[in-house]
Amino acid sequence: MLAEKRLLADLEGLNSPGRETLQERVYQELKRAMMQGRFAPGSALPLRSVAAAMGTSLMPVREALRQLAAERAVEVLPNRAFAIPKMTRAILADLGRTRLLIEGEAARLAAVRQGPRIADQLIALRDKISAATGAHDRAAYRSYNQEFHFCIYSAAGSPVMLHVIETLWLQAGPYLNLSFSDASGSPIVSQIRHEEAIEAMQKGDGEAARDAIVADISDAMEWIMPQLE
Amino acid sequence: MLAEKRLLADLEGLNSPGRETLQERVYQELKRAMMQGRFAPGSALPLRSVAAAMGTSLMPVREALRQLAAERAVEVLPNRAFAIPKMTRAILADLGRTRLLIEGEAARLAAVRQGPRIADQLIALRDKISAATGAHDRAAYRSYNQEFHFCIYSAAGSPVMLHVIETLWLQAGPYLNLSFSDASGSPIVSQIRHEEAIEAMQKGDGEAARDAIVADISDAMEWIMPQLE
DNA sequence: GCTTCCATACTGTGATCACAGCTGCTATGA
DNA sequence: TCATAGCAGCTGTGATCACAGTATGGAAGC
């Protein structure tokens, strides 16, 4: 009996990935696709189409979309239909301003509280980013860049800020792809900011860390902005 | 025909309040009840109980709760059950720190961009707050205080920040009630901060506006914190 | 008296169906 | 030829049901 229970407990751990609800899977899948910019801005997301694509009924899709809508990642039209939000220059600027504020503060906190402790992880990620840039692997670049930033933000020790930042990235996510729609030098500029951030973390210098992150975001925004519309 | 169409168009406007979905109504009702602190922290929200209380089926309740969960206003337990989150001192402090940052900045923006234009509204709200305080009407106080703050935040012209602030209030909402669990002087302190805020708005002084809001939030936090646990 | 087991009730999940509103097309009329 | 009525196909909403997992209660065994 006891052995059986132990076995079940072990299996439980193994089951847990499969134990995720369909709703969860649909949510994650949509989120991933959106952040990769797979949907055109303004395009509709009919429940039945998404459900058919995912091989589920309408229900998990409805809940996943509503959750994404609550996070402002998808829009609810007056018709109550779901759609990918259209990004305007004004909204993107607003998003950028808010990111500067909160991600800058998170970076400052991270440097002060955990700075030297995460420097090694950041250096490893910087190397991966360099490799991805060299290989012109945009997907890898985006992925590692995101890891780099969130490695810092996680170290701030503020779950509330972390969640806010995640929702901001989710909203801006699809449009960050624009930064790499051609082979221009934007990523290289970013590398400089990352160096500055690493240095600030090593020193535990909060103000320098904030400045580095603020500059990084500003660079990206300046790059993306003229490409809109 | 044309007249008929016009009539329908007119009726459409009238219908719109009734056209809200059940899900929307359940969502609003739950939100309102939560912000008034009607649910004990940690208490469960079984779908069927809520549905019975609202007189609907499970579906609208499920979607409303999931939306609230996305906003961190309710918690999803490992059992996938919904519950009112338990607030710890650490989380409340985190929430407070984030509020200082973003609400302070929103106040600064509001003062610079629209300061004098909203001063009259703020003065009117201040008077209502005074009246509510004098009458010991806690519900009215809470309501007008919220209006006062969001009057400022709306004037910042940043929909992104406004939404973030709303989610922060929703998370902290139930615990703000603690500030008035007895007849102590906390609201009076708050009034001083409001005066400072109004003055800053009249002058269009961003820094002063930020300081006033930061002080207001800090006061409230300092008041609530020891009452927790 | 304490532990163990089993039945029952209750949890959220997800599929299916009926329905109302809207959109766009087509056929019919002037 | 053009306007209009009506039909067909979409849309999301919400109720109902079946189901699997979990907690809880009491009863039977040690």
Side-chain angles (χ1 to χ4, degrees), chain A residues 23 62-63 65-72 76 82 163, chain B residues 21 23-28 30-31 60-74 76 82 163 167 170:
Chain A
Q23 181 270 134
R62 278 164 70 172
E63 298 189 23
L65 280 175
R66 196 161 298 281
Q67 188 169 342
L68 287 166
E71 291 164 339
R72 294 281 200 275
V76 181
F82 296 94
H163 178 242
Chain B
T21 58
Q23 181 271 134
E24 183 93 8
R25 183 149 44 210
V26 173
Y27 170 78
Q28 293 294 347
L30 282 174
K31 192 163 156 180
V61 177
R62 278 164 70 174
E63 299 188 21
L65 280 174
R66 197 161 298 281
Q67 188 170 342
L68 287 167
E71 291 165 339
R72 295 281 200 273
V74 310
V76 181
F82 296 94
H163 178 241
T167 67
L170 194 56

Side-chain angles (χ1 to χ4, degrees), chain B residues 43-201:
Chain B
S43 64
L45 292 173
L47 292 184
R48 284 167 178 83
S49 309
V50 178
M54 301 273 187
T56 73
S57 76
L58 302 182
M59 294 240 10
V61 177
R62 278 164 70 174
E63 299 188 21
L65 280 174
R66 197 161 298 281
Q67 188 170 342
L68 287 167
E71 291 165 339
R72 295 281 200 273
V74 310
E75 200 177 8
V76 181
L77 304 179
N79 336 338
R80 313 203 176 289
F82 296 94
I84 303 292
K86 273 186 243 179
M87 183 64 73
T88 66
R89 211 174 268 138
I91 296 176
L92 193 61
D94 191 11
L95 224 33
R97 185 174 41 191
T98 309
R99 287 188 56 198
L100 289 182
L101 181 70
I102 192 153
E103 293 181 38
E105 173 67 6
R108 190 189 67 76
L109 280 172
V112 172
R113 300 173 65 151
Q114 308 243 35
R117 218 165 329 188
I118 62 167
D120 288 344
Q121 297 173 50
L122 292 178
I123 289 171
L125 284 167
R126 175 203 58 187
D127 293 341
K128 288 187 184 176
I129 293 173
S130 294
T133 305
H136 295 90
D137 183 345
R138 289 187 285 157
Y141 175 89
R142 267 183 57 75
S143 175
Y144 290 131
N145 184 57
Q146 181 167 343
E147 257 187 78
F148 185 92
H149 277 262
F150 278 90
C151 176
I152 295 175
Y153 305 145
S154 302
S158 170
V160 172
M161 283 191 202
L162 188 61
H163 178 241
V164 171
I165 293 172
E166 276 174 2
T167 67
L168 294 178
W169 275 64
L170 194 56
Q171 290 176 63
Y175 298 90
L176 297 181
N177 271 333
L178 292 175
S179 16
F180 316 113
S181 49
D182 65 39
S184 150
S186 172
I188 289 153
V189 176
S190 174
Q191 284 290 63
I192 295 171
R193 303 312 186 186
H194 287 184
E195 289 304 333
E196 293 170 1
I198 290 172
E199 204 175 322
M201 287 294 158

Side-chain angles (χ1 to χ4, degrees), chain A residues 1 20-23 48 55-60 63:
Chain A
M1 290 303 116
E20 69 182 359
T21 58
L22 276 181
Q23 181 270 134
R48 285 168 177 83
T56 72
S57 76
L58 302 183
M59 296 239 9
E63 298 189 23

Side-chain angles (χ1 to χ4, degrees), chain A residues 91-155:
Chain A
I91 295 175
L92 193 60
D94 190 12
L95 224 34
R97 185 174 42 190
T98 309
R99 286 189 56 198
L100 289 182
L101 180 70
I102 192 153
E103 294 180 37
E105 172 66 6
R108 190 189 66 78
L109 280 172
V112 172
R113 300 172 65 152
Q114 308 242 35
R117 217 164 329 187
I118 62 167
D120 287 345
Q121 297 174 49
L122 292 178
I123 289 171
L125 283 167
R126 175 203 59 184
D127 293 341
K128 288 187 184 175
I129 292 173
S130 294
T133 305
H136 294 91
D137 183 345
R138 290 188 284 156
Y141 176 89
R142 268 183 56 75
S143 175
Y144 290 132
N145 184 56
Q146 180 167 345
E147 257 188 77
F148 184 92
H149 277 262
F150 278 89
C151 176
I152 295 174
Y153 304 144
S154 301

